[in-house]
Coordinates of all heavy atoms in Angstrom, one line a residue:
M1 N -5.4 -38.1 56.2 CA -4.0 -38.1 56.4 C -3.7 -39.2 57.6 O -4.4 -39.2 58.6 CB -3.4 -36.8 56.9 CG -2.0 -36.8 57.2 SD -1.3 -35.2 57.9 CE -1.7 -34.1 56.5
R2 N -2.8 -40.1 57.3 CA -2.4 -41.1 58.3 C -1.8 -40.5 59.6 O -1.2 -39.4 59.4 CB -1.4 -42.1 57.7 CG -2.0 -42.9 56.5 CD -1.0 -44.0 56.1 NE 0.5 -43.7 56.3 CZ 1.3 -43.2 55.4 NH1 1.0 -42.9 54.1 NH2 2.6 -43.0 55.7
N3 N -2.2 -41.1 60.7 CA -1.7 -40.5 62.0 C -0.3 -40.2 62.1 O 0.3 -39.3 62.5 CB -2.1 -41.5 63.1 CG -3.7 -41.4 63.5 OD1 -4.2 -40.3 63.3 ND2 -4.1 -42.3 64.1
E4 N 0.6 -41.2 61.5 CA 2.1 -41.0 61.5 C 2.5 -39.8 60.7 O 3.4 -39.0 61.0 CB 2.9 -42.3 61.2 CG 2.7 -42.7 59.7 CD 1.9 -43.9 59.5 OE1 1.3 -44.5 60.4 OE2 2.0 -44.5 58.4
V5 N 1.8 -39.7 59.6 CA 2.2 -38.5 58.7 C 1.7 -37.2 59.4 O 2.4 -36.1 59.4 CB 1.5 -38.6 57.3 CG1 1.7 -37.4 56.5 CG2 2.0 -39.9 56.6
R6 N 0.6 -37.2 60.1 CA 0.1 -36.1 60.8 C 1.1 -35.8 61.8 O 1.4 -34.6 62.1 CB -1.3 -36.4 61.4 CG -1.9 -35.1 62.3 CD -3.2 -35.4 62.8 NE -4.2 -35.7 61.8 CZ -4.9 -36.8 61.5 NH1 -4.6 -37.8 62.1 NH2 -5.7 -36.9 60.5
E7 N 1.5 -36.8 62.6 CA 2.6 -36.4 63.6 C 4.0 -35.9 63.1 O 4.5 -35.0 63.7 CB 2.9 -37.8 64.4 CG 1.9 -38.2 65.4 CD 2.3 -39.4 66.2 OE1 3.6 -39.5 66.7 OE2 1.4 -40.3 66.4
Q8 N 4.3 -36.4 61.9 CA 5.5 -35.8 61.3 C 5.2 -34.5 61.0 O 6.1 -33.6 61.2 CB 5.9 -36.6 60.0 CG 6.3 -37.9 60.2 CD 6.3 -38.8 58.8 OE1 6.0 -38.3 57.8 NE2 6.7 -40.1 59.0
A9 N 4.1 -34.1 60.4 CA 3.9 -32.6 60.0 C 3.8 -31.8 61.2 O 4.3 -30.7 61.2 CB 2.5 -32.6 59.2
T10 N 3.1 -32.3 62.3 CA 3.0 -31.4 63.4 C 4.3 -31.2 64.2 O 4.7 -30.1 64.6 CB 2.0 -31.8 64.3 OG1 2.1 -33.1 64.8 CG2 0.6 -31.7 63.8
T11 N 5.2 -32.2 64.1 CA 6.5 -32.1 64.7 C 7.3 -31.1 63.9 O 8.0 -30.2 64.4 CB 7.2 -33.4 64.7 OG1 6.3 -34.3 65.6 CG2 8.7 -33.3 65.2
I12 N 7.2 -31.1 62.6 CA 8.0 -30.1 61.8 C 7.5 -28.8 61.9 O 8.3 -27.9 62.2 CB 7.8 -30.6 60.3 CG1 8.6 -31.9 60.0 CG2 8.4 -29.5 59.3 CD1 8.2 -32.5 58.6
I13 N 6.2 -28.6 62.0 CA 5.7 -27.1 62.1 C 6.0 -26.6 63.5 O 6.4 -25.5 63.7 CB 4.1 -27.3 62.0 CG1 3.7 -27.5 60.6 CG2 3.5 -25.9 62.4 CD1 2.3 -28.0 60.3
A14 N 6.0 -27.5 64.5 CA 6.4 -27.1 65.9 C 7.9 -26.6 66.0 O 8.2 -25.7 66.8 CB 6.3 -28.2 66.9
R15 N 8.7 -27.1 65.0 CA 10.2 -26.7 65.1 C 10.5 -25.4 64.2 O 11.6 -24.9 64.3 CB 11.0 -27.8 64.4 CG 11.0 -29.1 65.3 CD 11.8 -30.2 64.8 NE 11.8 -31.4 65.6 CZ 12.1 -32.5 65.3 NH1 12.5 -32.8 64.0 NH2 12.2 -33.5 66.1
I16 N 9.5 -24.9 63.5 CA 9.9 -23.7 62.8 C 10.2 -22.5 63.8 O 9.4 -22.2 64.7 CB 8.5 -23.2 61.9 CG1 8.3 -24.4 61.0 CG2 8.9 -22.0 61.1 CD1 6.9 -24.2 60.2
P17 N 11.3 -21.9 63.7 CA 11.7 -20.9 64.7 C 10.9 -19.7 64.6 O 10.5 -19.4 63.4 CB 13.3 -20.7 64.4 CG 13.7 -21.6 63.3 CD 12.4 -22.3 62.7
E18 N 10.9 -18.9 65.6 CA 10.3 -17.6 65.6 C 11.1 -16.8 64.6 O 12.2 -16.8 64.5 CB 10.4 -16.9 67.0 CG 9.6 -15.7 67.1 CD 9.7 -15.1 68.6 OE1 9.4 -16.0 69.4 OE2 9.7 -14.0 68.7
G19 N 10.2 -16.0 63.8 CA 10.8 -15.1 62.9 C 11.1 -15.8 61.5 O 11.7 -15.2 60.6
R20 N 10.8 -17.0 61.3 CA 11.1 -17.8 60.1 C 9.7 -18.3 59.6 O 8.7 -18.5 60.3 CB 12.0 -18.9 60.2 CG 13.3 -18.4 61.0 CD 14.2 -17.5 60.1 NE 14.7 -18.2 58.8 CZ 15.8 -19.0 58.8 NH1 16.6 -19.1 59.9 NH2 16.2 -19.5 57.7
V21 N 9.7 -18.7 58.4 CA 8.5 -19.3 57.8 C 8.9 -20.5 56.8 O 10.2 -20.6 56.4 CB 7.7 -18.3 56.9 CG1 7.2 -17.2 57.7 CG2 8.5 -17.9 55.8
T22 N 8.0 -21.3 56.5 CA 8.2 -22.4 55.5 C 6.8 -22.5 54.7 O 5.9 -22.0 55.2 CB 8.8 -23.7 56.1 OG1 9.4 -24.5 55.0 CG2 7.7 -24.5 56.9
T23 N 6.8 -23.3 53.7 CA 5.7 -23.5 52.9 C 5.0 -24.8 53.2 O 5.5 -25.8 53.7 CB 6.1 -23.4 51.4 OG1 6.8 -24.6 51.1 CG2 6.7 -22.2 51.0
Y24 N 3.7 -24.9 52.7 CA 2.9 -26.1 52.8 C 3.7 -27.2 52.2 O 3.8 -28.4 52.7 CB 1.6 -25.8 52.3 CG 0.8 -24.8 53.0 CD1 0.6 -23.6 52.4 CD2 0.0 -25.1 54.0 CE1 -0.2 -22.6 53.0 CE2 -0.8 -24.2 54.7 CZ -0.9 -22.9 54.1 OH -1.6 -21.9 54.7
G25 N 4.2 -26.8 50.9 CA 4.9 -27.9 50.1 C 6.2 -28.4 50.8 O 6.5 -29.6 50.7
A26 N 7.0 -27.4 51.3 CA 8.1 -27.9 52.0 C 7.9 -28.8 53.2 O 8.7 -29.9 53.3 CB 9.0 -26.7 52.5
I27 N 6.9 -28.7 53.9 CA 6.5 -29.5 55.0 C 6.1 -30.8 54.4 O 6.5 -31.8 54.9 CB 5.4 -28.8 55.9 CG1 5.9 -27.6 56.7 CG2 4.9 -29.9 56.9 CD1 4.9 -26.7 57.2
A28 N 5.2 -30.8 53.4 CA 4.8 -32.0 52.7 C 6.0 -32.9 52.3 O 6.0 -34.1 52.5 CB 3.8 -31.7 51.6
K29 N 7.0 -32.2 51.6 CA 8.2 -33.0 51.3 C 8.9 -33.7 52.3 O 9.7 -34.6 52.1 CB 9.1 -32.1 50.5 CG 8.6 -31.8 49.1 CD 9.5 -30.7 48.4 CE 8.8 -30.4 47.1 NZ 9.7 -29.3 46.3
M30 N 8.8 -33.1 53.5 CA 9.6 -33.6 54.7 C 8.9 -34.8 55.4 O 9.3 -35.4 56.3 CB 9.8 -32.5 55.7 CG 10.8 -31.5 55.3 SD 11.3 -30.3 56.6 CE 10.6 -28.8 55.9
T31 N 7.7 -35.1 54.9 CA 6.9 -36.2 55.5 C 6.9 -37.4 54.5 O 7.3 -37.3 53.4 CB 5.4 -35.7 55.8 OG1 4.7 -35.5 54.5 CG2 5.3 -34.5 56.6
E32 N 6.2 -38.4 55.0 CA 6.0 -39.7 54.2 C 4.7 -39.8 53.7 O 3.9 -40.6 54.1 CB 6.4 -40.9 55.1 CG 7.9 -40.8 55.6 CD 8.2 -41.9 56.5 OE1 7.4 -42.7 57.0 OE2 9.3 -42.0 57.0
G33 N 4.2 -38.9 52.9 CA 3.0 -39.0 52.2 C 2.0 -37.8 52.2 O 1.0 -37.9 51.6
A34 N 2.5 -36.8 52.8 CA 1.5 -35.6 53.0 C 1.6 -34.8 51.6 O 2.7 -34.9 50.9 CB 1.9 -34.7 54.1
T35 N 0.6 -34.0 51.3 CA 0.6 -33.1 50.2 C 0.5 -31.7 50.8 O 0.0 -31.5 51.9 CB -0.6 -33.3 49.2 OG1 -1.9 -33.0 49.8 CG2 -0.6 -34.8 48.7
P36 N 0.8 -30.7 49.9 CA 0.6 -29.3 50.5 C -0.9 -29.1 50.9 O -1.1 -28.4 51.8 CB 1.0 -28.5 49.2 CG 2.0 -29.3 48.5 CD 1.5 -30.7 48.7
R37 N -1.8 -29.5 50.2 CA -3.2 -29.4 50.5 C -3.5 -30.1 51.8 O -4.4 -29.6 52.6 CB -4.2 -29.9 49.4 CG -4.2 -29.0 48.3 CD -5.2 -29.5 47.2 NE -5.1 -28.7 46.0 CZ -6.1 -28.2 45.5 NH1 -7.3 -28.4 45.8 NH2 -6.0 -27.4 44.4
S38 N -3.0 -31.2 52.1 CA -3.2 -31.9 53.3 C -2.7 -31.2 54.5 O -3.2 -31.2 55.6 CB -2.8 -33.4 53.2 OG -1.4 -33.5 53.2
I39 N -1.5 -30.5 54.2 CA -0.9 -29.7 55.3 C -1.9 -28.5 55.6 O -2.1 -28.2 56.8 CB 0.5 -29.3 55.0 CG1 1.4 -30.4 54.7 CG2 1.0 -28.2 56.1 CD1 1.6 -31.3 55.9
G40 N -2.4 -27.9 54.7 CA -3.4 -26.9 54.8 C -4.6 -27.4 55.6 O -5.1 -26.6 56.5
A41 N -5.2 -28.5 55.2 CA -6.3 -29.1 55.9 C -6.0 -29.3 57.3 O -6.8 -29.1 58.3 CB -6.8 -30.4 55.1
L42 N -4.8 -29.9 57.5 CA -4.4 -30.1 59.0 C -4.4 -28.9 59.8 O -4.9 -28.8 60.9 CB -3.0 -30.8 58.9 CG -2.3 -30.9 60.3 CD1 -2.9 -32.0 61.2 CD2 -0.8 -31.1 60.1
L43 N -3.9 -27.8 59.2 CA -3.9 -26.6 60.0 C -5.4 -25.9 60.1 O -5.5 -25.4 61.2 CB -3.0 -25.5 59.3 CG -1.5 -25.9 59.2 CD1 -0.7 -24.9 58.4 CD2 -1.0 -26.0 60.6
R44 N -6.1 -26.1 59.2 CA -7.5 -25.6 59.4 C -8.3 -26.4 60.4 O -9.2 -25.7 61.0 CB -8.3 -25.8 58.0 CG -8.1 -24.7 56.9 CD -9.0 -24.7 55.9 NE -9.0 -26.0 55.2 CZ -8.3 -26.4 54.1 NH1 -7.2 -25.6 53.8 NH2 -8.4 -27.6 53.7
L45 N -8.0 -27.5 60.6 CA -8.6 -28.4 61.6 C -8.0 -28.5 62.9 O -8.5 -29.3 63.7 CB -8.8 -29.8 61.0 CG -9.6 -29.9 59.6 CD1 -9.6 -31.4 59.1 CD2 -11.0 -29.5 59.9
L46 N -7.1 -27.6 63.2 CA -6.5 -27.7 64.6 C -7.5 -27.2 65.7 O -8.3 -26.4 65.4 CB -5.4 -26.6 64.6 CG -4.1 -27.1 63.9 CD1 -3.0 -25.9 63.8 CD2 -3.4 -28.3 64.5
P47 N -7.4 -27.9 66.8 CA -8.4 -27.6 67.7 C -8.1 -26.2 68.4 O -7.0 -25.7 68.4 CB -8.3 -28.7 68.8 CG -6.9 -29.1 68.6 CD -6.6 -28.9 67.2
E48 N -9.2 -25.5 68.9 CA -9.0 -24.3 69.6 C -8.1 -24.4 70.8 O -8.0 -25.5 71.5 CB -10.3 -23.7 70.0 CG -10.6 -22.4 69.5 CD -12.0 -21.8 69.9 OE1 -11.9 -21.1 71.0 OE2 -12.9 -22.1 69.3
G49 N -7.3 -23.4 71.1 CA -6.3 -23.5 72.2 C -5.0 -24.3 71.9 O -4.1 -24.4 72.7
H50 N -4.9 -24.7 70.7 CA -3.5 -25.4 70.3 C -2.4 -24.4 70.3 O -2.6 -23.2 70.4 CB -3.7 -26.0 68.9 CG -3.6 -25.0 67.8 ND1 -2.4 -24.4 67.3 CD2 -4.7 -24.4 67.1 CE1 -2.8 -23.7 66.3 NE2 -4.1 -23.5 66.3
T51 N -1.2 -24.9 70.5 CA 0.0 -24.0 70.5 C 0.9 -24.2 69.3 O 2.0 -23.7 69.3 CB 0.9 -24.3 71.7 OG1 1.3 -25.7 71.7 CG2 0.0 -24.1 73.0
L52 N 0.4 -24.8 68.2 CA 1.3 -25.0 67.0 C 1.4 -23.7 66.3 O 0.4 -23.0 66.2 CB 0.6 -26.0 66.2 CG 1.5 -26.9 65.3 CD1 2.5 -27.7 65.9 CD2 0.7 -27.8 64.3
P53 N 2.6 -23.3 65.9 CA 2.8 -22.0 65.3 C 2.3 -22.0 63.7 O 3.1 -21.9 62.9 CB 4.3 -21.7 65.4 CG 4.9 -23.1 65.4 CD 3.9 -24.1 66.1
W54 N 1.0 -22.1 63.6 CA 0.4 -22.3 62.3 C 0.7 -21.1 61.3 O 0.9 -21.2 60.1 CB -1.1 -22.4 62.4 CG -1.7 -21.2 63.0 CD1 -1.9 -20.8 64.3 CD2 -2.1 -20.0 62.4 NE1 -2.4 -19.6 64.5 CE2 -2.6 -19.0 63.4 CE3 -2.2 -19.6 61.0 CZ2 -3.1 -17.9 62.9 CZ3 -2.7 -18.4 60.7 CH2 -3.1 -17.5 61.8
H55 N 0.8 -20.0 62.0 CA 1.1 -18.7 61.2 C 2.5 -18.7 60.6 O 2.7 -17.8 59.7 CB 1.0 -17.6 62.1 CG 2.0 -17.5 63.3 ND1 1.9 -18.3 64.4 CD2 3.2 -16.8 63.4 CE1 2.9 -18.1 65.2 NE2 3.7 -17.2 64.5
R56 N 3.4 -19.6 60.8 CA 4.7 -19.6 60.1 C 4.7 -20.5 58.8 O 5.7 -20.8 58.3 CB 5.7 -20.1 61.2 CG 5.9 -19.2 62.3 CD 6.9 -19.8 63.4 NE 6.9 -18.9 64.5 CZ 7.1 -19.3 65.7 NH1 7.4 -20.6 66.0 NH2 7.0 -18.4 66.8
V57 N 3.5 -21.0 58.6 CA 3.4 -21.8 57.3 C 2.7 -20.9 56.2 O 1.6 -20.4 56.5 CB 2.6 -23.0 57.5 CG1 2.5 -24.0 56.3 CG2 3.2 -24.0 58.7
V58 N 3.3 -20.7 55.1 CA 2.9 -19.8 54.1 C 2.8 -20.6 52.7 O 3.4 -21.5 52.5 CB 3.7 -18.6 54.0 CG1 3.8 -17.9 55.3 CG2 5.2 -18.9 53.5
A59 N 2.1 -20.0 51.8 CA 2.0 -20.5 50.5 C 3.3 -20.4 49.7 O 4.2 -19.7 50.1 CB 0.8 -19.8 49.7
A60 N 3.4 -21.0 48.5 CA 4.6 -21.0 47.6 C 4.8 -19.5 47.4 O 3.9 -18.8 47.2 CB 4.4 -21.9 46.5
G61 N 6.1 -19.3 47.2 CA 6.5 -17.9 46.7 C 6.4 -16.9 47.9 O 6.6 -15.7 47.7
G62 N 6.2 -17.3 49.2 CA 6.1 -16.5 50.3 C 4.8 -15.6 50.5 O 4.8 -14.6 51.1
R63 N 3.8 -16.1 49.8 CA 2.6 -15.5 50.0 C 1.8 -16.1 51.2 O 2.0 -17.2 51.6 CB 1.7 -15.7 48.7 CG 2.2 -15.1 47.4 CD 1.4 -15.5 46.2 NE 1.3 -16.9 45.9 CZ 0.3 -17.7 46.2 NH1 -0.8 -17.2 46.6 NH2 0.4 -19.0 45.9
L64 N 0.9 -15.2 51.6 CA 0.0 -15.7 52.7 C -1.1 -16.3 51.9 O -1.7 -15.8 50.9 CB -0.6 -14.6 53.6 CG 0.6 -13.9 54.4 CD1 -0.2 -13.0 55.4 CD2 1.4 -14.9 55.2
A65 N -1.7 -17.5 52.3 CA -2.8 -18.2 51.7 C -4.0 -17.3 51.9 O -4.1 -16.6 52.9 CB -2.9 -19.6 52.3
D66 N -4.9 -17.4 51.0 CA -6.2 -16.7 51.1 C -7.2 -17.5 52.0 O -7.8 -18.4 51.6 CB -6.7 -16.5 49.8 CG -8.0 -15.8 49.7 OD1 -8.2 -14.9 50.6 OD2 -8.9 -15.8 48.7
H67 N -7.2 -17.0 53.3 CA -8.0 -17.7 54.3 C -8.4 -16.5 55.3 O -7.8 -15.4 55.4 CB -7.4 -18.8 55.0 CG -6.0 -18.5 55.7 ND1 -6.0 -17.9 57.0 CD2 -4.8 -18.6 55.3 CE1 -4.8 -17.6 57.2 NE2 -4.0 -18.0 56.3
E68 N -9.4 -16.8 56.1 CA -10.0 -15.8 57.1 C -8.9 -15.4 58.1 O -9.1 -14.3 58.7 CB -11.3 -16.2 57.6 CG -11.6 -17.6 58.0 CD -12.8 -17.9 58.4 OE1 -13.8 -18.1 57.8 OE2 -13.0 -18.0 59.7
G69 N -8.0 -16.2 58.3 CA -6.9 -15.9 59.4 C -5.7 -15.1 58.8 O -4.8 -14.8 59.5
A70 N -5.8 -14.7 57.5 CA -4.6 -14.1 56.9 C -4.2 -12.8 57.6 O -3.0 -12.6 57.7 CB -4.8 -13.9 55.5
R71 N -5.2 -12.0 58.0 CA -4.8 -10.7 58.7 C -4.0 -11.0 59.9 O -3.0 -10.4 60.3 CB -6.0 -9.9 58.9 CG -5.7 -8.5 59.5 CD -7.0 -7.7 59.8 NE -7.8 -8.4 60.7 CZ -7.7 -8.6 62.0 NH1 -6.6 -8.1 62.7 NH2 -8.6 -9.3 62.7
V72 N -4.5 -12.0 60.8 CA -4.0 -12.3 62.0 C -2.6 -12.9 61.7 O -1.7 -12.6 62.5 CB -4.9 -13.3 62.8 CG1 -4.2 -13.9 64.0 CG2 -6.1 -12.6 63.2
Q73 N -2.5 -13.7 60.7 CA -1.2 -14.4 60.3 C -0.1 -13.3 60.1 O 1.0 -13.4 60.5 CB -1.4 -15.4 59.3 CG -0.2 -16.1 58.8 CD -0.4 -17.0 57.7 OE1 -1.3 -16.9 56.8 NE2 0.6 -17.9 57.5
R74 N -0.5 -12.3 59.3 CA 0.4 -11.3 59.0 C 0.9 -10.5 60.2 O 2.0 -10.2 60.4 CB -0.2 -10.3 57.9 CG 0.8 -9.3 57.4 CD 0.1 -8.5 56.3 NE 1.0 -7.4 56.0 CZ 1.7 -7.3 54.7 NH1 1.3 -8.1 53.8 NH2 2.4 -6.3 54.5
E75 N -0.1 -10.2 61.0 CA 0.2 -9.5 62.3 C 1.2 -10.3 63.2 O 2.2 -9.8 63.7 CB -1.1 -9.2 63.1 CG -1.9 -8.1 62.4 CD -3.2 -8.0 63.0 OE1 -3.6 -8.6 64.1 OE2 -4.1 -7.2 62.6
L76 N 0.9 -11.5 63.3 CA 1.8 -12.5 64.1 C 3.1 -12.5 63.5 O 4.2 -12.4 64.2 CB 1.2 -13.9 64.2 CG -0.1 -14.0 65.2 CD1 -0.7 -15.4 65.0 CD2 0.3 -13.7 66.6
L77 N 3.2 -12.6 62.2 CA 4.5 -12.8 61.6 C 5.3 -11.4 61.8 O 6.5 -11.4 62.1 CB 4.4 -13.2 60.1 CG 4.0 -14.7 59.9 CD1 3.7 -14.8 58.4 CD2 5.0 -15.6 60.4
S78 N 4.7 -10.4 61.5 CA 5.3 -9.0 61.6 C 5.8 -8.9 63.0 O 6.8 -8.2 63.3 CB 4.3 -7.9 61.3 OG 3.9 -8.0 59.9
S79 N 5.0 -9.2 64.0 CA 5.4 -9.1 65.4 C 6.6 -10.1 65.7 O 7.4 -9.7 66.7 CB 4.3 -9.5 66.5 OG 4.1 -10.9 66.5
E80 N 7.0 -11.0 64.8 CA 8.2 -11.8 65.1 C 9.3 -11.4 64.3 O 10.5 -11.8 64.2 CB 7.9 -13.3 64.7 CG 6.9 -13.9 65.6 CD 6.7 -15.4 65.2 OE1 7.3 -15.9 64.2 OE2 6.0 -16.1 66.0
G81 N 9.0 -10.2 63.6 CA 10.2 -9.6 62.8 C 10.1 -9.9 61.2 O 11.1 -9.6 60.5
V82 N 9.2 -10.8 60.8 CA 9.1 -11.2 59.4 C 8.7 -9.9 58.7 O 7.7 -9.3 59.1 CB 8.2 -12.4 59.2 CG1 8.0 -12.7 57.8 CG2 8.8 -13.7 60.0
M83 N 9.3 -9.7 57.5 CA 8.9 -8.5 56.8 C 8.3 -9.0 55.5 O 8.4 -10.2 55.1 CB 10.2 -7.8 56.3 CG 10.9 -7.2 57.7 SD 12.5 -6.5 57.1 CE 11.9 -4.8 57.0
F84 N 7.6 -8.1 54.8 CA 6.7 -8.3 53.5 C 7.3 -7.3 52.6 O 7.5 -6.2 52.9 CB 5.3 -8.2 53.7 CG 4.7 -9.3 54.7 CD1 4.8 -9.1 56.1 CD2 4.1 -10.4 54.1 CE1 4.3 -10.1 56.9 CE2 3.6 -11.4 55.0 CZ 3.7 -11.2 56.2
D85 N 7.5 -7.7 51.3 CA 7.8 -6.8 50.3 C 6.6 -6.2 49.8 O 5.5 -6.1 50.3 CB 8.6 -7.5 49.1 CG 7.8 -8.4 48.2 OD1 6.6 -8.4 48.3 OD2 8.4 -9.3 47.5
A86 N 6.8 -5.2 48.8 CA 5.7 -4.3 48.2 C 4.7 -5.1 47.6 O 3.6 -4.7 47.6 CB 6.3 -3.3 47.2
R87 N 4.9 -6.4 47.2 CA 3.8 -7.2 46.6 C 3.1 -8.1 47.8 O 2.3 -8.9 47.4 CB 4.5 -8.2 45.6 CG 5.0 -7.3 44.4 CD 5.5 -8.2 43.3 NE 6.5 -9.2 43.9 CZ 7.0 -10.2 43.2 NH1 6.5 -10.4 42.0 NH2 7.9 -11.1 43.8
G88 N 3.6 -7.9 48.9 CA 3.0 -8.7 50.1 C 3.6 -10.1 50.3 O 3.0 -10.9 50.8
R89 N 4.7 -10.3 49.8 CA 5.5 -11.5 49.8 C 6.6 -11.4 50.8 O 7.2 -10.5 51.1 CB 6.0 -12.0 48.5 CG 4.9 -12.2 47.5 CD 5.4 -12.6 46.2 NE 4.2 -12.7 45.2 CZ 4.2 -13.7 44.3 NH1 5.1 -14.6 44.2 NH2 3.2 -13.7 43.6
I90 N 6.9 -12.6 51.4 CA 7.9 -12.7 52.4 C 9.3 -13.1 51.7 O 9.4 -14.0 50.9 CB 7.6 -13.8 53.4 CG1 6.3 -13.5 54.2 CG2 8.8 -14.0 54.4 CD1 5.8 -14.7 55.0
P91 N 10.3 -12.2 51.8 CA 11.6 -12.4 51.2 C 12.2 -13.7 51.6 O 12.0 -14.2 52.8 CB 12.4 -11.3 51.6 CG 11.4 -10.3 52.0 CD 10.3 -10.9 52.6
E92 N 13.0 -14.3 50.8 CA 13.6 -15.6 51.0 C 14.4 -15.7 52.3 O 14.5 -16.8 52.9 CB 14.4 -16.0 49.8 CG 14.8 -17.4 49.7 CD 15.4 -17.9 48.5 OE1 14.9 -17.5 47.4 OE2 16.5 -18.6 48.5
R93 N 15.0 -14.7 52.7 CA 15.9 -14.7 53.9 C 15.1 -15.1 55.1 O 15.7 -15.4 56.2 CB 16.6 -13.4 54.1 CG 15.7 -12.3 54.4 CD 16.6 -11.0 54.6 NE 15.8 -9.8 55.1 CZ 15.1 -8.9 54.4 NH1 15.2 -9.1 53.0 NH2 14.5 -7.9 54.8
F94 N 13.9 -15.1 55.1 CA 12.9 -15.4 56.3 C 12.6 -17.0 56.2 O 11.9 -17.4 57.1 CB 11.8 -14.6 56.4 CG 12.0 -13.2 56.8 CD1 12.1 -12.2 55.7 CD2 12.6 -12.8 58.1 CE1 12.4 -10.9 56.1 CE2 12.7 -11.5 58.3 CZ 12.8 -10.6 57.3
F95 N 13.0 -17.7 55.2 CA 12.6 -19.0 55.0 C 13.4 -19.9 55.9 O 14.6 -19.8 56.0 CB 12.5 -19.5 53.6 CG 11.1 -19.0 52.9 CD1 11.1 -17.7 52.6 CD2 10.3 -20.0 52.7 CE1 10.0 -17.4 52.0 CE2 9.1 -19.6 52.1 CZ 8.8 -18.2 51.7
W96 N 12.8 -21.1 56.3 CA 13.5 -22.2 57.1 C 13.1 -23.4 56.5 O 11.9 -23.5 56.0 CB 12.8 -22.1 58.5 CG 13.3 -23.3 59.4 CD1 14.5 -23.4 60.2 CD2 12.5 -24.4 59.7 NE1 14.5 -24.6 60.8 CE2 13.3 -25.3 60.5 CE3 11.4 -25.0 59.1 CZ2 12.9 -26.5 60.9 CZ3 10.9 -26.2 59.5 CH2 11.8 -27.0 60.3
P97 N 13.8 -24.4 56.3 CA 15.2 -24.5 56.6 C 16.2 -23.9 55.7 O 15.8 -23.7 54.5 CB 15.4 -25.9 56.8 CG 14.4 -26.6 56.0 CD 13.3 -25.7 55.9

């Protein structure tokens, strides 16, 4: 991922308000060249101690991506008031923008 696209993506992610989520694909569409997979890779490679709200980025359809941090992600989102339906998906009312 080009540096300017990385900066665009991290700026967008930093702006996701508490209690709201968006998808990898939505972030990619707001940049000049990222893909949903490249957004996922960017988040996987964040350095320890970063402050980017990675947990507010979810898969299409409001699902949590299948990764080792999914349990922590769900806990963080729940602590911000984000709810999950019976199928484990986040209702549309929690999506940003």
Side-chain angles (χ1 to χ4, degrees):
M1 182 184 296
R2 297 186 331 260
N3 283 337
E4 67 251 15
V5 176
R6 182 178 293 111
E7 282 185 40
Q8 290 170 1
T10 56
T11 298
I12 293 163
I13 295 166
R15 291 182 179 160
I16 305 169
E18 184 175 321
R20 303 293 293 275
V21 298
T22 195
T23 65
Y24 299 99
I27 293 167
K29 287 179 185 175
M30 291 185 243
T31 68
E32 298 173 359
T35 65
R37 285 182 186 228
S38 67
I39 299 299
L42 169 72
L43 293 176
R44 277 191 307 277
L45 298 173
L46 288 171
E48 242 183 89
H50 70 85
T51 59
L52 206 61
W54 64 272
H55 61 284
R56 297 179 187 149
V57 182
V58 300
R63 296 176 296 108
L64 298 185
D66 185 23
H67 57 84
E68 31 180 89
R71 183 185 56 76
V72 171
Q73 183 178 20
R74 186 178 177 117
E75 290 171 1
L76 289 168
L77 290 172
S78 293
S79 75
E80 292 182 357
V82 174
M83 301 173 93
F84 295 82
D85 68 17
R87 296 181 309 171
R89 295 178 185 222
I90 299 168
E92 195 171 314
R93 69 180 183 269
F94 293 102
F95 278 75
W96 172 88

